[in-house]
Amino acid sequence: MPEPLRVVTADDNYLVREGVRRLLEDSGDVLVEAAVGSAPELLDAVGRLRPAAVLTDIRMPASPGAPGERPSMEGIDAAHAIRSAYPRTGVVVLSQYADESYAFELFRDGTAGLAYLLKDRIGEVGRLLEALREVTAGESLIDPEVVEALVRGRARMRASALKNLTPRELDVLREMAQGRGNAGIAAHLHLSESSVESTSTPYSPSSA
């Protein structure tokens, strides 16, 4: 029988912290070596215990914040510090928000050994165990709802960029979509090739 996965957990809410500890340990696959409530305590526990993985809330330390306030990112900062100092320790970050900005911040230096899950997954022990195993193996995992948020964000960016184009720039893009080169576009729209090139370059495949 394989040894239990050694894990340190962190959450500013005591009841959540202990509930997660119980869920993980009742699975028989995990040994929670420490359950802490702040980022400094988390970093200290990881330095002392060198666990295989960390499961941390994005919001640390315990500060209730104002109603509707977006969470602080001490959990993400701690994840970066842990991955830098202890590259064999994987980190799963839990958040209440399917927000692409937090995902980008977490994965800004690479995805290896990192996972981003919604806090709703706490009750899905199988999903938590999967994420812990993935990061322990140096892999990554992103909650499907966060992936959807990333896709929606990229779509909004593209739509916003198109709204800012002039009618002439839109004409050039339509010609590009029909497969015409710069010379053909220039002739069809009665423009100089240099004007077409300056417009089309940001949208050409080589510039993506």
Side-chain angles (χ1 to χ4, degrees):
M1 183 176 180
E3 291 290 324
L5 194 64
R6 297 169 47 248
V7 172
V8 168
T9 67
D11 195 289
D12 60 5
N13 185 302
Y14 174 80
L15 293 179
V16 172
R17 191 163 68 241
E18 291 305 308
V20 169
R21 180 206 288 270
R22 176 64 62 86
L23 284 171
L24 291 176
E25 291 193 332
D26 284 353
S27 73
D29 294 329
V30 172
L31 173 62
V32 178
E33 296 194 310
V36 301
S38 70
E41 289 176 311
L42 173 59
L43 295 175
D44 176 71
V46 172
R48 288 185 293 102
L49 302 171
R50 306 293 177 88
V54 165
L55 180 68
T56 179
D57 186 13
I58 194 174
R59 173 182 237 159
M60 302 247 287
S63 55
E69 180 186 6
R70 284 155 61 94
S72 54
M73 292 193 294
E74 288 89 346
I76 288 179
D77 294 336
H80 290 158
I82 291 167
R83 290 294 299 156
S84 176
Y86 312 105
R88 292 187 178 180
T89 297
V91 182
V92 178
V93 173
L94 297 173
S95 174
Q96 295 180 17
Y97 299 83
D99 190 317
E100 68 268 22
S101 64
Y102 297 136
F104 279 124
E105 180 65 21
L106 177 63
F107 297 119
R108 70 186 185 201
D109 298 324
T111 62
L114 291 170
Y116 186 106
L117 292 182
L118 293 184
K119 212 165 185 180
D120 292 345
R121 307 301 182 192
I122 285 179
E124 301 177 23
V125 180
R127 180 64 62 87
L128 288 182
L129 293 175
E130 177 190 9
L132 290 169
R133 293 190 191 102
E134 289 292 317
V135 298
T136 300
E139 303 297 329
S140 64
L141 188 146
I142 306 178
D143 195 286
E145 290 190 30
V146 178
V147 173
E148 290 182 11
L150 290 168
V151 172
R152 289 195 300 269
R154 179 58 60 89
R156 285 195 303 269
M157 289 173 62
R158 289 178 176 173
S160 176
L162 289 175
K163 289 179 182 177
N164 293 329
L165 295 179
T166 66
R168 178 59 72 187
E169 288 171 332
L170 286 172
D171 287 340
V172 171
L173 288 180
R174 291 189 188 100
E175 296 295 315
M176 290 174 61
Q178 294 178 28
R180 289 194 174 96
N182 287 353
I185 295 172
H188 192 256
L189 296 180
H190 307 292
L191 297 172
S192 67
E193 285 193 44
S194 60
S195 296
V196 173
E197 183 175 0
S198 65
T199 299
S200 63
T201 296
Y203 306 100
S204 64
S206 60
S207 64

